[in-house]
């Protein structure tokens, strides 16, 4: 992965309201072990990642993305994590407290929102 | 000829203070006339088993009339009019009084959890589909019995027991729904409203509501919702099947707070791909009440999202500010966080939301941020 690698994030339908995405979608929940799961955009397209994700019986209304560099700007490390499947990657929030995670989530969401949806489910 | 004090139901509840009766409740009382007549016929045929039907003119000229509303919460004085001439023999008139007494006894039995069918046949009980339908929680129609201290009390609960005893396959109830109009058939003048749980309920379009329903339909994809008040048809499983009549349709703000909460109410544990706790219903009810009491109408409504741990999250975008309030419904507390995306300035505050102080702080901060952004 390079600085410009897109990290593709699947967006759960409950995290979208009237087209607006909550910043929760860009920070891990307590059960995520402080790691945000994403797809490595160098290895898979947004549309293919959505198909793959849905194939795992997981809900997604579409795909947004941040780059590795945008994560680095927030002191977040992004790395490939091919244990589950080859295209899997993660953004590491491990060293940050909840307030810091809150801020970083909002910053990531902001850049992802500026980039717009890279893929949207039909009818979403 | 008439019996002036034929029925004196007393309406109990806040709406009836000042001895007034809302017009919608008169619709409930109006069904008493048909009910008394049908039950009187039934009583007559019980006493005359060889007859196939009640005598001709048995019900001719019979009507119930509201003659006055007296004090005592509100007492509706209803007279039984027996027509222009004295067409009936006294013995036949008695059947109408017996019918009244049977109706009152059936209500009394239901109130005591006893079988109403001891007093009324199922087809007579079916009239409770209309009688009492407009009652709200905590309200009652009390019918005098022989004992002044023990009236037969028709409430929402006793009405349901009476309808269950009637074994009706369908019943009607007043409904107050929020949802999107996702389909309209202009030729047949029907629509379907999609409720937060995804169910689609059909209903008729009447002329006064046509434009509002069409506007809501055009805006469906943009999240436009309506509040619909009317009468719904429920099956025996208590599921709403269709809307029988529409009384009011009102376009809602796309961020209508109550609608957003209703969407959260249908979440089940596991909503977040197998994880995610559903927000507790009593917590959402508390939040709805607190928000209505304390939030200012002049402020933008929040976007409302569920939180994986069973909480609720409000978010606002105010100029460069990304503002959030994550609410713990069990602790009744909230974590405020605002971040200026241009300057990185942030503010965090833990708030108690079971007092007005916490809400006043939120309103004040939102007003300040909105003022700065405008």
């Amino acid at each position: 992965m390079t600085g410009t690698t897109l990290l593709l994030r699947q967006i759960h339908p409950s995290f979208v309201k009237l087209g607006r995405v909550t910043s929760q979608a860009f920070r891990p929940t307590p059960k995520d072990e402080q790691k945000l799961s994403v797809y490595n955009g160098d290895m898979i397209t947004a549309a293919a990642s959505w198909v793959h994700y849905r194939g795992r019986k997981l809900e997604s209304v579409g795909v947004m993305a941040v780059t590795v560099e945008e994560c680095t700007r927030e002191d977040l490390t992004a790395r490939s994590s091919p244990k589950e499947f080859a295209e899997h990657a993660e953004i590491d929030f491990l060293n940050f407290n909840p307030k810091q995670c809150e801020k970083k989530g909002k910053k990531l969401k902001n850049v992802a929102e500026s980039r717009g949806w890279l893929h949207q489910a039909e009818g979403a | 000829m008439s019996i002036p004090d034929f029925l004196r139901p007393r309406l109990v509840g806040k709406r009836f203070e000042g001895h007034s009766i809302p017009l919608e409740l008169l619709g409930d009382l109006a069904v008493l006339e048909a009910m008394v007549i049908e039950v009187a016929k039934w009583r007559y045929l019980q006493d005359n088993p060889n007859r196939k039907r009640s005598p001709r003119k048995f019900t001719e000229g019979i009507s119930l009339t509201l003659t006055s509303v007296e004090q005592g919460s509100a007492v509706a004085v209803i007279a039984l009019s027996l027509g222009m001439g004295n067409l009936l023999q006294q013995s036949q008139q008695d059947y109408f009084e017996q019918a009244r007494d049977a109706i009152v006894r059936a209500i009394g039995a239901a109130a005591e959890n006893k079988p109403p069918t001891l007093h009324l046949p199922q087809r007579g009980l079916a009239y409770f589909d209309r009688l009492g339908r407009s009652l709200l929680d905590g309200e009652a129609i009390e019918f005098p019995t022989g004992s002044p201290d023990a009236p037969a009390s028709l409430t929402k609960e006793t009405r349901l027991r009476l309808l269950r005893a009637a074994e009706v396959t369908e019943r009607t109830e007043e409904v107050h729904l929020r949802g999107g109009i996702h389909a309209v058939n202009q030729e047949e003048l029907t629509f379907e409203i999609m409720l937060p749980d995804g169910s689609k309920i059909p209903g008729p379009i009447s002329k006064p509501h046509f434009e509002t329903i069409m506007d809501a339909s055009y805006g469906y994809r943009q999240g436009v919702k309506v509040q619909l008040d009317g009468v719904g048809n429920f099956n025996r499983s208590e599921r709403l099947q269709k809307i029988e009549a529409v009384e009011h349709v009102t376009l809602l703000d796309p961020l209508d707070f109550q609608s957003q909460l209703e969407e959260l109410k249908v979440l089940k544990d596991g909503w977040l791909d197998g994880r995610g706790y559903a927000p507790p219903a009593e917590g959402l009810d508390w939040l709805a009440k607190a928000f209505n009491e304390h939030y200012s109408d002049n402020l933008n409504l929040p976007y409302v999202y569920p939180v994986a741990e069973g909480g609720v999250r409000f978010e606002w975008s105010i100029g460069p500010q990304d503002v959030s309030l994550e609410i713990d419904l069990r602790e009744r507390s909230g974590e405020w966080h605002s971040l200026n995306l241009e300057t990185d300035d942030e503010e965090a505050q833990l708030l108690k939301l079971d007092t007005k102080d916490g809400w006043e702080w939120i309103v004040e901060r939102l007003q300040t941020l909105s003022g700065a952004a405008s």
Side-chain angles (χ1 to χ4, degrees):
Chain A
M1 295 198 299
T2 66
T4 56
T5 299
L6 285 170
L7 302 169
L8 308 172
R9 177 68 178 160
Q10 305 294 329
I11 307 297
H12 191 276
S14 292
F15 284 169
V16 185
K17 175 74 65 175
L18 297 175
R20 184 188 185 279
V21 178
T22 165
S23 54
Q24 291 180 91
F26 290 90
R27 61 169 168 82
T29 64
K31 286 189 177 172
D32 289 329
E33 295 171 345
Q34 296 290 85
K35 286 167 186 160
L36 192 70
S37 276
V38 287
Y39 282 79
N40 179 344
D42 287 346
M43 297 177 73
I44 191 167
T45 64
S49 75
W50 183 83
V51 172
H52 181 267
Y53 194 75
R54 296 288 289 126
R56 295 161 62 203
K57 308 284 181 215
L58 300 171
E59 293 283 323
S60 169
V61 287
V63 182
M64 298 184 99
V66 293
T67 64
V68 171
E69 194 183 347
E70 285 159 354
C71 292
T72 308
R73 233 181 278 154
E74 301 305 323
D75 301 321
L76 295 165
T77 304
R79 66 175 77 88
S80 177
S81 171
K83 272 187 205 163
E84 283 188 63
F85 51 90
E87 300 88 349
H88 187 251
E90 61 192 23
I91 304 170
D92 195 338
F93 281 71
L94 197 58
N95 296 321
F96 301 102
N97 64 34
K99 188 185 155 197
Q100 290 169 318
C101 292
E102 178 75 50
K103 179 179 176 182
K104 291 175 193 307
K106 285 180 177 175
K107 298 277 279 185
L108 292 186
K109 179 226 161 177
N110 186 44
V111 291
E113 209 165 45
S114 304
R115 186 168 285 113
W117 292 93
L118 301 192
H119 175 76
Q120 274 188 288
E122 230 172 87
Chain B
M1 182 184 170
S2 69
I3 304 172
D5 265 353
F6 182 70
L7 263 171
R8 295 175 61 85
R10 177 170 169 264
L11 285 78
V12 183
K14 273 196 178 161
R15 281 198 297 169
F16 315 121
E17 285 169 6
H19 66 284
S20 62
I21 301 179
L23 287 177
E24 67 167 343
L25 211 93
L26 292 179
D28 287 30
L29 296 177
V31 80
L32 274 167
E33 181 177 294
M35 190 177 187
V36 165
I37 288 172
E38 280 310 307
V39 176
K41 284 189 204 168
W42 167 72
R43 278 291 304 118
Y44 177 87
L45 293 174
Q46 269 193 323
D47 286 350
N48 299 275
N50 296 328
R51 292 191 65 113
K52 283 204 166 21
R53 63 187 74 85
S54 53
R56 244 166 18 98
K57 298 190 176 178
F58 182 71
T59 62
E60 196 173 290
I62 297 289
S63 64
L64 292 187
T65 317
L66 178 69
T67 55
S68 65
V69 178
E70 292 181 357
Q71 282 189 357
S73 202
V75 175
V77 180
I78 297 171
L80 174 72
S81 170
L82 297 165
M84 296 299 287
N86 188 2
L87 298 172
L88 298 180
Q89 297 170 10
Q90 181 61 43
S91 62
Q92 291 182 354
Q93 291 178 25
D94 288 347
Y95 285 111
F96 293 94
E97 291 182 316
Q98 289 178 31
R100 171 198 61 199
D101 296 343
I103 293 166
V104 173
R105 279 199 298 272
I107 296 169
E112 292 173 13
N113 236 337
K114 292 176 181 166
T117 42
L118 293 175
H119 308 285
L120 279 185
Q122 286 180 332
R123 68 172 189 277
L125 291 168
Y127 282 93
F128 286 102
D129 187 52
R130 187 66 188 89
L131 182 56
R133 190 171 73 194
S134 306
L135 286 172
L136 304 178
D137 288 328
E139 293 181 348
I141 306 176
E142 292 182 350
F143 292 85
T145 61
S147 165
D149 296 334
S153 186
L154 180 65
T155 62
K156 280 181 88 166
E157 292 74 29
T158 47
R159 173 177 169 267
L160 270 184
R161 283 181 205 153
L162 289 156
L163 285 175
R164 281 193 203 107
E167 295 188 8
V168 288
T169 53
E170 293 179 344
R171 67 180 170 81
T172 56
E173 289 288 346
E174 290 196 350
V175 288
H176 307 281
L177 308 170
R178 281 177 155 88
I181 304 294
H182 83 105
V184 168
N185 184 329
Q186 291 192 54
E187 202 163 306
E188 294 179 10
L189 287 176
T190 58
F191 68 92
E192 280 193 345
I193 183 169
M194 185 184 276
L195 303 183
D197 66 358
S199 56
K200 297 168 183 172
I201 310 296
I205 304 176
S206 54
K207 209 169 180 184
H209 308 125
F210 183 81
E211 273 184 39
T212 311
I213 286 177
M214 290 307 294
D215 287 348
S217 168
Y218 295 140
Y220 175 74
R221 299 277 299 164
Q222 285 74 48
V224 172
K225 292 191 171 61
V226 293
Q227 166 149 351
L228 187 154
D229 304 304
V231 176
N233 199 304
F234 291 77
N235 66 11
R236 289 175 81 169
S237 310
E238 310 285 319
R239 279 192 72 85
L240 179 60
Q241 301 294 294
K242 63 178 180 183
I243 296 155
E244 280 211 345
V246 176
E247 281 158 19
H248 309 287
V249 189
T250 313
L251 284 176
L252 294 172
D253 187 304
L255 290 175
D256 174 61
F257 185 72
Q258 193 61 40
S259 298
Q260 294 198 74
L261 283 197
E262 282 178 17
E263 286 170 20
L264 301 191
K265 272 189 177 174
V266 301
L267 291 177
K268 305 262 189 291
D269 282 347
W271 60 268
L272 188 56
D273 291 328
R275 295 172 296 147
Y277 293 104
E282 67 275 14
L284 292 174
D285 290 341
W286 159 76
L287 183 58
K289 192 165 176 283
F291 188 87
N292 283 337
E293 276 177 21
H294 302 299
Y295 197 74
S296 167
D297 287 341
N298 298 326
L299 291 170
N300 288 342
L301 289 164
Y303 290 79
V304 181
Y305 304 95
V307 174
E309 296 80 41
V312 169
R313 184 175 166 100
F314 293 177
E315 292 188 8
W316 298 261
S317 296
I318 307 169
Q321 299 281 348
D322 190 332
V323 183
S324 59
L325 177 72
E326 198 153 311
I327 298 167
D328 185 324
L329 295 173
R330 291 187 175 82
E331 296 295 324
R332 303 196 170 175
S333 62
E335 283 180 53
W336 168 276
H337 182 264
S338 63
L339 173 67
N340 186 318
L341 293 162
E342 290 172 355
T343 64
D344 266 10
D345 286 343
E346 60 182 325
E347 179 182 38
Q349 181 78 32
L350 188 62
L351 298 163
K352 283 173 73 69
L353 298 179
D354 53 358
T355 64
K356 70 174 184 178
D357 291 354
W359 291 97
E360 280 178 356
W361 190 92
I362 292 165
V363 167
E364 191 274 322
R365 290 303 298 137
L366 287 172
Q367 280 169 340
T368 303
L369 293 172
S370 302
S374 61

